[in-house]
Every structure is written in C-alpha cells, then in structure tokens.
Amino acid sequence: MTIGTLRLASLWLAAPVLALWAGTGSVIGVRASRAPAVDGVIDPAEWQGAARLENFVQFEPQRGKPATQATVAYFLYDDTHVYFALYAYDQEPGRITARLTRRDARLLEDDSVTVMLDTFHDRRTCYFFSVNPLGTQADGRVQDGGRVVDETWDASWQAAARRVSDGWTAELAIPLRVMQFRAGAARSWGLNLGRTRRANLEHSFWHGPLEAPFRVAQYGELTGLDLEGGARRYELIPYALGRYEQGRTIKGDAGLDVRYTFRPETTANLTLNPDFATVEADEEFVNLTRFEPQLAEKRPFFLESNDRFRQRIQTFYSRRVADIDAGGKLLSRQGEWDIALLS
C-alpha cells in the first residue's frame, strides 16, 4: 500500500463508523469478521467497520486544549483478542523521536501510544500496553486509582509500528487470556488511549482532561462487548536441566509451572521446583540504614499477584520468601472484592 493510499484510507474508514462514536467518551465495541494482521499497516479491508476514536485532548502542556496533532484509533475484538490500530499524524514527521529498543523502557521519553483497559470497569484498576515507532513494547498494571503502578507485570502480546509520510502508525493485538475480566454479553470496560509527542513535550488522551494519566475513574467507556470466553483453559510451562561431566554421573533437575483458568476472572497457578536462577540478578548495594531494603520482584510465580499487595499500606512483601519447592496461588475478582490466596 502506498503512503497516499494510507491517508485516503483513514477518510474512507470514517464513513461507516461515525455512528459508533458517541463523542462523549463512550464507544461501542465491534466484533471482527477476521483478525487483522499486526504489521503496522492500517489496511482498510482489515479495519472495515471498526469503532473509531479521535479528538484527543491534552494532559500537558495545556490541559484540556485539543491536541496539536491529530490521532485516530480503531478498535475490534473477537473471541481471543482485542485489536487496536492508531494513526499518529504529525505535521513535522522529521521530529518524531524513536530511540528506545529495550522492552519495558520508559516509552514516555519517545513518541509513543498507550492503550489502557479497565477490564472490570471498577474505575480503580487497569492494564496498560504501550508501543513506540520502533515497535518497542511496555506493559503493566495499575491499582488503587493510579496510586500503585506495577511495571514489572509482563504479558505476551503483539505490536508493530512504522513511520509514514505524515506521521506513524501502530497496531496492537492483545490476547484476552493475559487479562482477567468478567465474561458475559453486553459487558463494558473502562478505556482510554494516550499519545506522547516529544517534539513539543505533549501528552494527550482520547478521553480527558485527566487529573493524572492513570486516574482510571476519569476514563471513557467501551460498551457492548460479548465476552463468553477468550482465555486459554490451561497453560503448562515445563523445564529440564541436565549436566554431564566425564567420569561422573549425570545430574539433572526439572520443574513445572501450571496456569489454570476457571473463568476469565478466576485463575489458579501452581509451581513445582521453580528455577529462579534464570531470573535477572539484583544489583548489589550496601544498606547503611535501619530500614529493610525494598527489592523489585522478578520471579514469575510471584509477579502476577504482587501488585495486589502493593497498596499504600503494604500487607505482604514477597521478596522475604526465599527459594521454594512448590507453591500455589488463586486469584479472583468477585464484585468489589479482590481475592488472592497464596501458599
């Protein structure tokens, strides 16, 4: 597809979806007839009929004013994924900043776009997924209305981005199985989309103005979702290690991680003989204070539920738990209650 075709495509897509955009921070979810290819090219055939989101407003530097550069987003979903395409127009494409290539880098220092999903629509928690023009990914979870941001949470999802003559584009495919949510017909999620533009230090959002970027209570709404399934029922991650030295016996070790989904809002995790030696080592330092050092959790078994305990009053510090032989965990969301059982 040529650059000229891309520009016309955004106008061509507008006609069938204008009725889906309420203009008041509410958008109706559209089910995809087939999954779009995640390649950074916004193909009109793939995004035909998609819900359209635009008219971003600034968070900074001039809060509440329209964004200086247009951003147009499209949304689709199916039984396994939610899909987003974002066209970040820029009248000065030569000033687009894209340097970061390490996953979970601070993408606010580059041009970037972010998708924020409040999957329980509780106006307190959300997942966020960010990408820059190089396709670098960052993700995490937000708790307590933005007071707790856990950037150590990682999920497996797809993203692709590319520069075009009048800006840059990005496509994201986020599996439902990596998130917890309430299943059922006519469901609503909280939703917001953000964009950073380093050329003028601008940070804008689809629904605003906001008091803070992760003030989930002020997000818009994604309605009409039919989510009966989507999560993989179970996931097995085995490992085996072996060592042989001449003249000595063979030594080995093995372990297993199991993730079982009862319902999209309830999951259980089991680990047997986990190999924490593969986790990135902590940086050494000398603690000369009387206070216990707070180290970031990096072990996969503890990561998924760790943010639930990182409230303003800390109830549990997982790094006090050393190597384990086995562990079990049950995570659920029932009404206004968060349930986290760990053994």
Side-chain angles (χ1 to χ4, degrees), residues 39-148:
D39 54 11
V41 177
I42 304 178
D43 188 335
E46 295 177 340
W47 295 93
Q48 172 69 34
R52 180 184 174 103
L53 305 92
E54 54 186 343
N55 298 330
F56 282 46
V57 297
Q58 294 185 49
F59 170 68
E60 55 185 6
Q62 295 181 300
R63 184 175 304 178
K65 297 246 181 116
T68 60
Q69 308 293 322
T71 305
V72 180
Y74 304 97
F75 170 78
L76 292 169
Y77 78 99
D78 58 23
D79 291 332
T80 59
H81 290 75
V82 291
Y83 306 96
F84 290 89
L86 296 100
Y87 200 126
Y89 291 91
D90 200 312
Q91 296 172 351
E92 301 174 287
R95 299 184 66 188
I96 293 174
T97 302
R99 301 167 299 167
L100 301 174
T101 57
R102 180 175 57 84
R103 185 185 170 103
D104 286 333
R106 185 172 174 76
L107 295 188
L108 292 180
E109 298 175 3
D110 269 355
D111 281 48
S112 63
V113 291
T114 301
V115 173
M116 290 149 282
L117 298 173
D118 173 9
T119 56
F120 286 100
H121 206 196
D122 59 9
R123 301 189 179 278
R124 295 188 301 111
T125 63
C126 76
Y127 299 89
F128 66 87
F129 305 86
S130 302
V131 63
N132 71 358
L134 298 176
T136 304
Q137 299 179 3
D139 50 22
R141 278 175 51 93
V142 173
Q143 293 274 1
D144 200 12
R147 295 181 178 91
V148 177

Side-chain angles (χ1 to χ4, degrees), residues 15-30:
V17 298
L18 285 177
L20 297 174
W21 179 60
T24 58
S26 178
V27 65
I28 301 172
V30 177

Side-chain angles (χ1 to χ4, degrees), residues 75-258:
F75 170 78
L76 292 169
Y77 78 99
D78 58 23
D79 291 332
T80 59
H81 290 75
V82 291
Y83 306 96
F84 290 89
L86 296 100
Y87 200 126
Y89 291 91
D90 200 312
Q91 296 172 351
E92 301 174 287
R95 299 184 66 188
I96 293 174
T97 302
R99 301 167 299 167
L100 301 174
T101 57
R102 180 175 57 84
R103 185 185 170 103
D104 286 333
R106 185 172 174 76
L107 295 188
L108 292 180
E109 298 175 3
D110 269 355
D111 281 48
S112 63
V113 291
T114 301
V115 173
M116 290 149 282
L117 298 173
D118 173 9
T119 56
F120 286 100
H121 206 196
D122 59 9
R123 301 189 179 278
R124 295 188 301 111
T125 63
C126 76
Y127 299 89
F128 66 87
F129 305 86
S130 302
V131 63
N132 71 358
L134 298 176
T136 304
Q137 299 179 3
D139 50 22
R141 278 175 51 93
V142 173
Q143 293 274 1
D144 200 12
R147 295 181 178 91
V148 177
V149 180
D150 183 10
E151 296 178 344
T152 62
W153 180 85
D154 284 318
S156 177
W157 50 284
Q158 291 180 279
R162 64 176 58 197
R163 297 195 190 206
V164 292
S165 64
D166 55 352
W168 63 283
T169 60
E171 291 183 312
L172 297 81
I174 304 168
L176 292 173
R177 63 181 174 81
V178 305
M179 302 180 289
Q180 288 188 307
F181 59 92
R182 287 195 184 92
R187 291 294 182 184
S188 296
W189 288 4
L191 170 68
N192 215 344
L193 305 173
R195 176 186 175 184
T196 59
R197 184 174 184 264
R198 293 299 295 174
N200 61 344
L201 301 179
E202 182 175 296
H203 198 178
S204 59
F205 290 89
W206 164 65
H207 190 257
L210 303 177
E211 295 178 8
F214 289 128
R215 187 58 58 86
V216 185
Q218 297 178 321
Y219 285 1
E221 189 176 36
L222 179 60
T223 65
L225 299 175
D226 184 4
L227 302 169
E228 290 300 335
R232 185 181 298 171
R233 197 68 172 172
Y234 63 89
E235 188 174 9
L236 302 176
I237 306 176
Y239 83 89
L241 299 174
R243 183 177 65 186
Y244 172 73
E245 295 181 33
Q246 187 175 3
R248 298 188 180 184
T249 59
I250 299 176
K251 296 182 179 181
D253 203 359
L256 177 68
D257 288 314
V258 181

